[in-house]
Amino acid sequence: MKVSYKTLGLVNTREMFKKAMEDGYAVPAYNFNNLEQLQAIIHGCGKSGSAVILQVSKGAREYADETLLRNLGKGAVEMAEAHGYRIPIALHLDHGDSVELCVSCIEGGFSSVMIDGSHHDYEHNVELTKAVVDYAHRYDVTVEGELGVLSGIEDDVEAARSIYTQPDEVEDFVKRTGVDSLAISIGTSHGAYKFTPEQCSQNDQGVLVPPPLRFDILEEIEQRIPGFPIVLHGASSVLRKYVDLINQHGGALEAAVGIPEDQLRKAAGSAVCKINIDSDGRLVVTAMVRKVFDENPAEFDPRKYLGPAREELMHMIIEKNRKVLGSAGRY
Ligand code: G3H
Ligand code: 13P
Ligand code: ZN
């Protein structure tokens, strides 16, 4: 069955990115797999007046069920309206790995897709990305491509080292593929362990400080494709508060390091129009569930442990939109 995102009340990312570029902020793309995460994202972005990209990976789509997911997207729009939130909402496929998957998502109501050909050689990446763009644009669905490889897990492939985006490829890639936005590699990384302790220095309090992002590469890219929307993946800050809470309540997350918030704030003021956050949300949920179970081992009502997780996730999202992405108060 084919469903246009337009009939679900969703929007593509074109206008969102145009406004973000003009006003110097980044739109948050929060990953979700379940009801509580979705509720937290809608309330967090609605209450803070931020546009939002609801982001679904291939694995999340399989986990949540594609039919239910389409209806969750529709439900999210209706829920936002019912609460008086006047924010644009996009439903986006994260790290699509084939034309078939992108087509299936577009037919199932997604308003935006990512085709991640970054692990292929350049010509194959161009070909794959163009095939998705040609199909998606028939339905006014926006497409994100990627150049450069992030370390960590991406597209079911684990890369040990980042391969930074080569600025001299971006103009040709954008022109030949027709993509609407471009994910780049400038030192961010997926997951909660973005850097080894050896890659970091230590500040006065003994906290690990990761190497700075390569803003020089970002600037060069901006010069080659002025005004073109750039995307940052692997942009969770791995907030200390939640890592500590997890460890205090029986967890074992050692030496987890993320991207410092000031680096992300700086990026959001540039051509970076979309910032992807998954791990920070996972850490919040895990911290709160662990805390409830640790403090009340007899608890077995899911609402009693997922409810506090949902509440805390909403607060984290509001803070991020306000203090890091600058997307709050724009709608
Ligand atoms: O970049 C990957 C996202 O964090 C999604 O992760 O494939 O485990 O859902 P996942
Ligand atoms: P994090 O693992 O840093 O949250 O990155 C998420 C991401 O890039 C999803 O595509
Ligand atoms: Zn990613």
Side-chain angles (χ1 to χ4, degrees):
M1 185 180 74
K2 288 191 187 180
V3 183
S4 165
Y5 69 87
K6 294 183 183 179
T7 65
L8 306 182
L10 297 160
V11 298
N12 68 25
T13 57
R14 201 166 290 124
E15 284 305 311
M16 286 185 185
F17 290 167
K18 188 165 175 280
K19 188 166 155 54
M21 182 75 78
E22 281 166 9
D23 297 349
Y25 65 90
V27 179
Y30 292 111
N31 287 68
F32 78 102
N33 316 274
N34 69 14
L35 178 70
E36 284 78 8
Q37 286 174 308
L38 181 60
Q39 290 171 319
I41 297 167
I42 295 298
H43 278 309
C45 292
K47 284 181 197 291
S48 61
S50 169
V52 65
I53 297 168
L54 301 173
Q55 193 154 261
V56 178
S57 69
K58 181 182 174 181
R61 186 167 177 260
E62 283 161 8
Y63 177 84
D65 186 274
E66 58 187 85
T67 309
L68 183 56
L69 202 63
R70 172 168 65 244
N71 286 286
L72 282 177
K74 182 169 181 271
V77 172
E78 289 178 15
M79 172 188 156
E81 275 167 15
H83 285 271
Y85 305 145
R86 308 173 77 84
I87 55 167
I89 301 173
L91 182 63
H92 174 80
L93 169 67
D94 193 22
H95 294 286
D97 59 358
S98 67
V99 177
E100 293 71 26
L101 176 60
C102 292
V103 167
S104 172
C105 286
I106 292 166
E107 289 184 344
F110 281 59
S111 61
S112 178
V113 293
M114 174 189 194
I115 176 69
D116 181 358
S118 62
H119 297 282
H120 300 298
D121 67 48
Y122 181 76
E123 284 303 323
H124 187 173
N125 190 0
V126 168
E127 205 176 298
L128 184 64
T129 306
K130 185 175 174 348
V132 172
V133 170
D134 286 348
Y135 182 83
H137 282 183
R138 279 192 243 157
Y139 302 97
D140 203 19
V141 168
T142 40
V143 181
E144 175 184 323
E146 178 164 337
L147 270 180
V149 180
L150 274 66
S151 68
I153 296 163
E154 185 168 270
D155 198 12
D156 292 335
V157 176
E158 195 162 345
R161 248 173 14 91
S162 303
I163 302 169
Y164 297 126
T165 305
Q166 294 177 33
D168 58 4
E169 285 182 348
V170 296
E171 201 180 343
D172 181 71
F173 187 81
V174 163
K175 206 180 280 173
R176 285 174 62 198
T177 59
V179 278
D180 302 282
S181 59
L182 182 68
I184 60 166
S185 173
I186 55 166
T188 60
S189 160
H190 287 106
Y193 299 94
K194 298 187 187 304
F195 306 97
T196 62
E198 295 72 45
Q199 289 174 299
C200 302
S201 55
Q202 279 197 14
N203 71 9
D204 300 346
Q205 289 90 45
V207 175
L208 293 175
V209 180
L213 297 182
R214 292 290 303 271
F215 283 99
D216 56 324
I217 298 179
L218 174 59
E219 277 165 28
E220 235 192 287
I221 291 170
E222 286 181 288
Q223 281 164 18
R224 307 263 182 161
I225 43 173
F228 193 81
I230 300 298
V231 178
L232 275 194
H233 281 247
S236 280
S237 293
V238 187
L239 299 162
R240 199 71 245 159
K241 177 179 165 187
Y242 301 109
V243 174
D244 288 347
L245 212 50
I246 287 171
N247 290 336
Q248 280 158 23
H249 292 285
L253 293 184
E254 300 302 332
V257 183
I259 311 297
E261 292 186 333
D262 61 335
Q263 302 260 307
L264 296 170
R265 215 172 288 128
K266 184 173 168 189
S270 73
V272 170
C273 290
K274 172 174 179 270
I275 290 189
N276 285 8
I277 299 140
D278 188 358
S279 297
D280 277 342
R282 294 180 181 197
L283 291 168
V284 171
V285 171
T286 303
M288 299 312 288
V289 170
R290 276 197 174 278
K291 183 170 184 292
V292 172
F293 282 153
D294 195 19
E295 291 172 354
N296 189 357
E299 188 54 70
F300 69 100
D301 179 345
R303 292 170 298 185
K304 296 286 169 45
Y305 51 88
L306 294 177
R310 180 179 69 182
E311 180 76 11
E312 189 65 25
L313 180 55
M314 181 189 78
H315 290 301
M316 190 275 283
I317 286 170
I318 292 173
E319 286 290 287
K320 235 183 226 301
N321 292 350
R322 282 194 184 141
K323 298 193 177 148
V324 184
L325 284 84
S327 62
R330 308 286 179 171
Y331 291 91

